[in-house]
């Protein structure tokens, strides 16, 4: 992989987030930066960015190779053009924050909510097909909105090995159980089983 600096990675992430061709004027107005000089030459030379430099302001977009690069997680040591020893404490902190934020976003977008539900279920259940309460499950889906969780649970019902049922003994339900229920077909469902045969 070509040597990239933390600033290079930051430009790649900016272009990915924009999802379109962006001019230096827009980058400067919105983020206070422009992609010019050595950084522009390096990112175009790697094939990660395609810049239209035929007229000013320059216009840039992320290439398919750039997208593939960003499918990989960053690390604190990814910055090799600007060695850590030459960076100020503030620059080191900003790079660490960039790495952390990018990697968290990468994980959340690459793993579907359904997959997260299945993983959480596996963590909570002693064996496949065991019933667990949604009140136990939902805390393990931090960062996923309640609406997204509910949609994922409904989609999972399309799988042959998934069951979502109401608690038949309603007197056993606590406030947390009632609050965690998902409403499907006019019915509150409180417990989940995956791996049912």
């Amino acid at each position: 992989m070509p040597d990239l600096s933390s600033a290079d990675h930051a430009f790649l992430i900016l272009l990915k987030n924009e999802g379109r061709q962006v001019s230096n004027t827009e980058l400067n107005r919105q983020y206070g930066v422009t992609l010019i000089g050595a950084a522009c030459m390096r990112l175009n030379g790697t094939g990660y960015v395609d810049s239209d430099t035929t007229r000013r302001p320059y216009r840039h977009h992320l290439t398919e190779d750039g997208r593939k690069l960003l499918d990989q997680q960053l690390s604190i040591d990814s910055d090799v053009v600007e060695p850590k020893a030459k960076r100020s404490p503030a620059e080191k902190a900003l790079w660490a924050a960039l790495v952390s934020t990018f990697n968290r976003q990468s994980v959340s977008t690459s793993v579907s909510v359904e997959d997260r539900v299945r993983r959480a279920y596996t963590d909570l259940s002693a064996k496949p097909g065991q019933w667990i309460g949604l009140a136990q499950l939902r805390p393990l889906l931090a960062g996923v909105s309640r609406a997204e969780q509910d949609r994922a649970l409904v989609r999972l019902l399309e799988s042959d090995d998934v069951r979502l049922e109401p608690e038949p003994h309603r007197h056993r339900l606590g406030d947390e159980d009632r609050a965690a229920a998902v409403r499907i077909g006019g019915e509150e469902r409180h417990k989940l089983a995956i791996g049912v045969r």
Side-chain angles (χ1 to χ4, degrees), residues 145-191:
S145 72
R146 174 64 182 258
E148 287 178 292
Q149 292 179 29
D150 287 355
R151 284 193 292 271
L153 289 167
V154 171
R155 286 193 297 269
L156 277 169
L157 273 180
E158 296 172 8
S159 302
D160 292 337
D161 67 331
V162 177
R163 303 284 184 275
L164 262 172
E165 299 291 339
E167 171 55 59
H169 308 287
R170 296 300 175 106
H171 64 279
R172 295 181 183 172
L173 292 173
D175 291 340
E176 288 183 357
D177 298 306
R178 290 186 180 88
V182 59
R183 190 168 186 81
I184 300 174
E187 185 176 49
E188 299 289 331
R189 306 195 188 191
H190 311 92
K191 54 186 190 172

Side-chain angles (χ1 to χ4, degrees), residues 107 111 114-124 137 140 194:
V107 169
V111 178
E114 289 95 324
D115 287 340
R116 288 192 61 184
V117 170
R118 285 183 178 274
R119 289 180 188 180
Y121 174 85
T122 300
D123 290 343
L124 291 169
L137 179 83
L140 299 187
I194 298 179

Side-chain angles (χ1 to χ4, degrees), residues 12 15 35 40 43-51 60-63 66:
L12 293 176
L15 292 175
L35 182 51
C40 183
L43 289 174
N44 276 267
T46 60
Y48 297 145
V49 172
D50 185 23
S51 299
H60 319 280
H61 74 268
L62 191 66
T63 65

Side-chain angles (χ1 to χ4, degrees), residues 47-147:
Y48 297 145
V49 172
D50 185 23
S51 299
D52 178 1
T53 59
T54 58
R55 60 194 170 94
R56 293 186 181 271
Y58 293 173
R59 291 168 170 77
H60 319 280
H61 74 268
L62 191 66
T63 65
E64 188 58 35
D65 284 344
R67 281 190 207 38
K68 288 177 183 174
L69 177 72
L70 293 180
D71 285 342
Q72 305 167 33
Q73 292 208 333
L74 296 180
S75 75
I76 291 298
D77 297 319
S78 295
D79 187 347
V80 292
V81 173
E82 299 164 358
K84 289 185 284 185
K86 292 186 178 179
R87 283 187 264 148
S88 69
E91 288 171 324
K92 290 178 185 177
L94 284 172
W95 176 239
L98 179 64
V99 169
S100 172
T101 302
F102 177 77
N103 289 344
R104 284 177 184 269
Q105 288 176 343
S106 295
V107 169
S108 65
T109 56
S110 63
V111 178
S112 71
V113 181
E114 289 95 324
D115 287 340
R116 288 192 61 184
V117 170
R118 285 183 178 274
R119 289 180 188 180
Y121 174 85
T122 300
D123 290 343
L124 291 169
S125 62
K127 60 182 180 179
Q130 178 182 351
W131 290 103
I132 64 161
L134 293 184
Q136 297 171 270
L137 179 83
R138 291 196 189 271
L140 299 187
L141 302 176
V144 179
S145 72
R146 174 64 182 258

